[in-house]
Amino acid sequence: MIKVDYLLQNEIIRYQEQLRLFRISLLKLPAKMPSEDKVRNLCKEAAWKLAATETLVVKIFKSKKLPYRELSKQFFFNIGILKQHSQYILALFLLKHGDYQCLHAHLTCLV
């Protein structure tokens, strides 16, 4: 018999719903993931800095978009990389900012 983790299943459903608000598909997200470790780490760093900056958090939830200019000016990120990987950065941001304890335990990208 297969053991089902209902807490994890519930978090995945909540996360999918939140991604939909930002027009991001969980199924298409792996294709949006950067292939290079350096770029992937930069995206992760951008997502963490977004989650830690309250003014940017408010702006993201209001516009449902990544604030490229502010992120670039405040933290000196390349705007081209931010635009190219905006959905991936937003998805990481939503994981970091949201209350997804079970997902945090299962995903190595959050370490």
Side-chain angles (χ1 to χ4, degrees):
M1 181 159 191
I2 298 174
K3 182 182 175 185
V4 178
D5 187 343
Y6 290 107
L7 290 175
L8 179 61
Q9 187 177 20
N10 184 34
E11 281 189 10
I12 292 170
I13 291 168
R14 285 190 303 117
Y15 182 56
Q16 280 181 312
E17 289 169 358
Q18 194 168 32
L19 285 174
R20 265 190 232 120
L21 293 174
F22 286 80
R23 297 180 181 210
I24 300 171
S25 166
L26 185 60
L27 295 175
K28 294 179 182 177
L29 201 53
K32 306 286 183 185
M33 186 173 155
S35 56
E36 296 178 26
D37 285 341
K38 184 178 178 180
V39 177
R40 203 168 30 251
N41 288 333
L42 185 129
C43 290
K44 181 178 157 182
E45 182 183 349
W48 275 211
K49 288 189 179 196
L50 279 172
T53 310
E54 192 59 36
T55 56
L56 295 178
V57 170
V58 170
K59 193 164 197 163
I60 287 171
F61 281 108
K62 185 177 180 183
S63 69
K64 304 290 188 246
K65 294 179 182 177
L66 193 65
Y68 308 110
R69 288 191 182 116
E70 292 87 343
L71 199 53
S72 178
K73 284 179 185 177
Q74 244 178 309
F75 302 110
F76 307 105
F77 288 114
N78 181 309
I79 267 190
I81 290 174
L82 294 175
K83 285 184 177 182
Q84 185 177 0
H85 301 291
S86 62
Q87 288 191 337
Y88 180 72
I89 294 168
L90 281 170
L92 287 176
F93 161 77
L94 291 171
L95 274 174
K96 180 71 173 173
H97 188 265
D99 182 28
Y100 302 109
Q101 295 170 357
C102 293
L103 282 174
H104 281 251
H106 286 279
L107 296 174
T108 58
C109 67
L110 301 177
V111 178

